[in-house]
Amino acid sequence: MDKIKNSSSYRHSLFISRHSRAGGNPLEWSTVFGQVTAYAGITGFIGFVLLLTTSCSGPSHNDHSPLVQIEKHSNSNIEYSVSSDPFTYGIEKVAVTNSEKDTLFFIPNRVNHLVSFPCNNCHTQALGNMVSDDPSGKKAHWNIKLNHATDEALTCLTCHSSNDVEYLRLNNEKEIHFNQSQKVCAQCHSTQSNDWVGGAHGKIIGGWAPPRVSNTCVNCHDPHSPAFETRWPSRLNTVKIQELDPK
Amino acid sequence: MFFKKKKNVNEETAPQHTEKCGGDSCGCQQADGFDQVIKKPLDRRSALKGLTAGLLAGTGFLNSSCSVTAGDTDKELASLKWDEYFKGNYQLMTAEEKKATVARLEKMYALNNGGKINISDKGAAKDVLYGYAFNISKCQGYMDCVNACVEENNQDRDSQMQYIRIHEFKKGQMNFEMADDNFYHEVPAAGHFYMGTQCFHCENPPCVDVCPVKATWKEKDGIVVIDYDWCIGCRYCQAACPYDGRRFNWSTPHVPENELNKDQHYLGNRPRKKGVMEKCTFCIQRSRSGENPACVEACPTGARIFGNLLDPNSTIRWVIENKKVFRLKEDLGTEPKFWYFMD
Ligand code: SF4
Ligand code: SF4
């Protein structure tokens, strides 16, 4: 909340205090309070007179801002009577933890949905030994086309471990389980990763109520070709349908 | 102002309510809101309208309920209709009255259509204030949200009613006058961006202030709702909303039986009728159970974020506190609970 308050500029607060209906904005009594005292005073006086003439028990105008509601009524120990569990029923969850190993939220189990996992059903060798420069050689996973960054930046072995096909790989050669693939992505996409952990990027599945279950990177982005394609909208706007099909 | 007026309504009606018909025991026609309507001077609906409609309806109900030729089903329907006609404003109903009207509506649906619907009257939870955030960088104009909303909320198929509008802007400006709401090409189109609007559930909603019959109000959890059975269809609220948030039923809404969403809420997606207002309710039938609204669930890009503003651990709070957000027409003081942001 401090961020919201501090982001107010002088011009902005003036603008808001000139509009009496916006009296509920917390900017008015925020850190720039001193600069708008005169305006606030006048608004306050008018508000007082209005209050006297129209109502004896009306709520203060400040109550009309969600930011004030947040300030006044925030509660970090809400006892929820609802839960997202019924809506994520059947999804096997994996915890996402911070560096202190506290669980932040959950993501769907990944390996359950990988069609050819575990890889050693087919492969007995380490990936590093299978790589070949021979263009006439047989191509496994021919359907996978790497369309992610450039050849110079990424090869298979940038993300897949060269020692053990069952694992992914971090830049420091640490091996990472497929269920923690977001750690591989976060190495380059740190901004997106921060937004994802916070909740601004990506998608919460099930419900808004705790426990939070979010899609992980690869649930929406194909790691081999992560960009979204263009496509037709799934429906047309009302007016368009009438134009196209006038009855 | 609104609160003051509302208080007056309560003062006038509440005592009547308690001393007269409290339940079935007192032997009047039907406890549910009967007194609110009958014992009150016709100041809420115009006297003329009330009289004519009442007479017409009364004759109709009586005709079928006393007729010897009408079947049992017809008689039951007529009596249910009678009780429904004289029920009160949802805001003034007691818990039992809410249950009673919900039961009647379910019964009427069963008699008319042979199927079963569930209408919830679940109230607002403590410590919850719903808020919504929309990522303009992410929206691609796919319209999946609109589809999901129409299906979830039983919107009229014939008039193509949609609560959500997706606007396509040419990059370099965000002028709603210049936006294309009827785009007809693959999306996202090069050089364009997309932005969705719907009811913003203002904390200070002008639509609520203007309603002459208090058919629309803000619930404790911040959802702005409409009592479809109390709305007189004057459309004042539609004119008062600065965000094009409200929709009007010009004709009787029609949803094919097999497409009807049968999980309903009294203040949400239950079938509406001709001549009443409706709009986004943050999918009240879903959100009050902890679920995400249909648009949030349907969006394949994650551009839509919904949650509890009073919970410092919620994602909506993280967005508001960590991203650079804005709301539309903030200077009006409507205080929408719908924020836009960019990556
Ligand atoms: S957006 Fe419009 S309809 Fe929704 S609460 Fe605000 S004024 Fe009312
Ligand atoms: S149309 Fe709007 S203002 Fe008029 S009665 Fe219905 S809810 Fe109230």
Side-chain angles (χ1 to χ4, degrees):
Chain A
M1 285 312 298
D2 286 348
K3 272 223 170 101
I4 294 171
K5 281 207 240 161
N6 294 338
S7 69
S8 57
S9 71
Y10 176 55
R11 191 192 57 79
H12 194 193
S13 354
L14 269 188
F15 182 61
I16 283 187
S17 62
R18 251 188 275 134
H19 293 72
S20 57
R21 288 200 66 186
N25 199 296
L27 299 174
E28 254 190 16
W29 45 283
S30 74
T31 45
V32 289
F33 186 76
Q35 290 159 320
V36 292
T37 314
Y39 286 92
I42 295 165
T43 344
F45 179 70
I46 296 172
F48 180 66
V49 175
L50 277 177
L51 210 72
L52 276 185
T53 48
T54 60
S55 157
C56 302
S57 57
S60 98
H61 277 276
N62 279 343
D63 286 346
H64 283 319
S65 166
L67 301 183
V68 176
Q69 302 274 6
I70 290 173
E71 196 119 351
K72 278 194 188 160
H73 304 296
S74 254
N75 177 358
S76 36
N77 295 311
I78 298 174
E79 283 175 27
Y80 282 107
S81 58
V82 291
S83 148
S84 76
D85 284 339
F87 314 111
T88 53
Y89 180 77
I91 298 178
E92 201 186 310
K93 296 169 213 152
V94 177
V96 173
T97 52
N98 61 11
S99 43
E100 282 86 46
K101 301 269 179 264
D102 307 319
T103 297
L104 300 174
F105 55 94
F106 299 92
I107 54 176
N109 180 313
R110 177 69 177 162
V111 297
N112 289 356
H113 300 277
L114 292 173
V115 263
S116 14
F117 199 83
C119 311
N120 62 18
N121 282 347
C122 303
H123 297 294
T124 49
Q125 293 189 54
L127 196 55
N129 301 338
M130 290 189 272
V131 179
S132 136
D133 286 337
D134 178 7
S136 65
K138 259 201 213 153
K139 230 182 182 165
H141 303 295
W142 50 268
N143 54 338
I144 295 177
K145 247 189 118 201
L146 196 59
N147 184 15
H148 188 169
T150 61
D151 297 355
E152 283 160 8
L154 292 184
T155 68
C156 310
L157 295 181
T158 314
C159 304
H160 290 273
S161 162
S162 62
N163 304 319
D164 188 338
V165 278
E166 300 319 334
Y167 284 88
L168 296 168
R169 158 189 179 277
L170 295 181
N171 282 340
N172 61 5
E173 297 300 343
K174 247 196 177 152
E175 284 175 347
I176 280 281
H177 194 264
F178 273 90
N179 276 342
Q180 300 290 324
S181 58
Q182 76 277 4
K183 293 191 180 167
V184 179
C185 312
Q187 298 176 112
C188 298
H189 305 284
S190 58
T191 318
Q192 283 85 347
S193 174
N194 286 342
D195 278 353
W196 174 68
V197 172
H201 183 114
K203 186 173 157 123
I204 294 195
I205 47 182
W208 61 268
R212 172 182 163 192
V213 185
S214 278
N215 267 345
T216 186
C217 316
V218 290
N219 292 130
C220 303
H221 302 277
D222 175 350
H224 303 117
S225 178
F228 276 42
E229 306 275 314
T230 60
R231 60 161 236 220
W232 279 89
S234 55
R235 73 176 292 143
L236 296 174
N237 181 289
T238 308
V239 183
K240 201 75 213 172
I241 298 171
Q242 277 164 1
E243 277 170 14
L244 291 175
D245 180 24
K247 284 237 175 74
Chain B
M1 278 306 285
F2 165 62
F3 286 89
K4 185 176 174 261
K5 278 192 217 140
K6 185 175 145 199
K7 198 154 175 277
N8 285 345
V9 172
N10 276 330
E11 277 160 6
E12 283 168 41
T13 43
Q16 284 183 5
H17 210 64
T18 38
E19 68 189 41
K20 304 270 175 183
C21 277
D24 295 336
S25 53
C26 68
C28 34
Q29 177 69 29
Q30 173 54 244
D32 189 353
F34 188 80
D35 286 356
Q36 290 174 19
V37 182
I38 294 304
K39 292 278 178 357
K40 236 180 114 57
L42 282 172
D43 58 353
R44 273 175 293 193
R45 303 173 186 219
S46 85
L48 196 62
K49 186 180 169 186
L51 267 178
T52 354
L55 271 177
L56 281 175
T59 335
F61 298 151
L62 277 179
N63 193 16
S64 35
S65 54
C66 305
S67 155
V68 273
T69 48
D72 283 349
T73 315
D74 287 349
K75 279 187 185 160
E76 191 175 1
L77 258 177
S79 116
L80 286 168
K81 261 196 207 158
W82 173 272
D83 292 339
E84 270 298 291
Y85 187 78
F86 288 110
K87 74 181 174 185
N89 183 318
Y90 190 76
Q91 286 180 89
L92 301 175
M93 287 187 198
T94 62
E96 295 81 60
E97 285 169 345
K98 286 178 184 171
K99 289 266 177 290
T101 178
V102 159
R104 280 198 300 271
L105 289 168
E106 288 176 347
K107 183 86 202 182
M108 279 165 75
Y109 181 85
L111 290 176
N112 281 324
N113 302 284
K116 187 172 154 38
I117 51 170
N118 294 310
I119 303 184
S120 159
D121 62 341
K122 196 175 167 80
K126 218 177 133 263
D127 289 330
V128 174
L129 185 71
Y130 294 112
Y132 205 113
F134 186 100
N135 188 343
I136 304 169
S137 317
K138 284 286 174 286
C139 178
Q140 312 275 299
Y142 290 153
M143 305 278 280
D144 287 350
C145 50
V146 180
N147 252 353
C149 176
V150 168
E151 281 160 25
E152 170 69 28
N153 291 300
N154 296 325
Q155 280 141 36
D156 179 29
R157 305 297 200 265
D158 297 342
S159 66
Q160 309 269 353
M161 185 185 287
Q162 297 168 2
Y163 297 165
I164 305 174
R165 306 222 190 283
I166 303 290
H167 314 270
E168 183 182 78
F169 295 96
K170 224 186 176 93
K171 282 194 175 152
Q173 47 89 25
M174 205 187 82
N175 181 350
F176 279 86
E177 302 284 317
M178 312 275 285
D180 182 5
D181 296 358
N182 298 313
F183 49 88
Y184 181 56
H185 46 65
E186 279 199 28
V187 287
H192 289 79
F193 71 96
Y194 300 83
M195 184 170 180
T197 56
Q198 57 206 72
C199 169
F200 294 154
H201 298 273
C202 307
E203 253 320 86
N204 192 14
C207 55
V208 165
D209 289 344
V210 298
C211 180
V213 296
K214 307 248 169 281
T216 181
W217 65 92
K218 189 181 73 191
E219 289 273 284
K220 282 221 169 57
D221 52 10
I223 303 182
V224 175
V225 294
I226 302 163
D227 181 344
Y228 309 119
D229 293 331
W230 205 251
C231 171
I232 55 170
C234 66
R235 300 197 292 138
Y236 281 9
C237 55
Q238 194 171 29
C241 170
Y243 303 109
D244 183 26
R246 292 185 167 240
R247 310 282 178 265
F248 185 68
N249 284 291
W250 287 99
S251 55
T252 306
H254 170 68
V255 182
E257 179 71 26
N258 58 345
E259 290 177 26
L260 189 79
N261 177 5
K262 302 203 163 77
D263 285 323
Q264 303 175 355
H265 193 286
Y266 190 93
L267 300 172
N269 58 348
R270 77 183 163 104
R272 277 77 63 182
K273 48 196 175 194
K274 180 176 170 176
V276 302
M277 199 51 76
E278 62 180 277
K279 65 173 192 65
C280 158
T281 60
F282 277 165
C283 283
I284 196 165
Q285 64 281 356
R286 293 166 68 104
S287 45
R288 284 203 174 156
S289 327
E291 198 176 8
N292 272 325
C295 49
V296 176
E297 187 180 287
C299 179
T301 71
R304 296 175 170 268
I305 291 146
F306 179 78
N308 182 5
L309 293 169
L310 302 184
D311 186 344
N313 304 316
S314 66
T315 51
I316 181 85
R317 277 287 289 278
W318 193 90
V319 169
I320 293 174
E321 287 165 24
N322 292 279
K323 304 304 286 184
K324 292 169 182 104
V325 296
F326 69 93
R327 294 175 292 172
L328 290 183
K329 302 186 186 173
E330 286 208 37
D331 49 320
L332 293 179
T334 47
E335 300 287 350
K337 293 192 286 292
F338 197 105
W339 286 265
Y340 292 95
F341 71 102
M342 283 156 267
D343 275 346

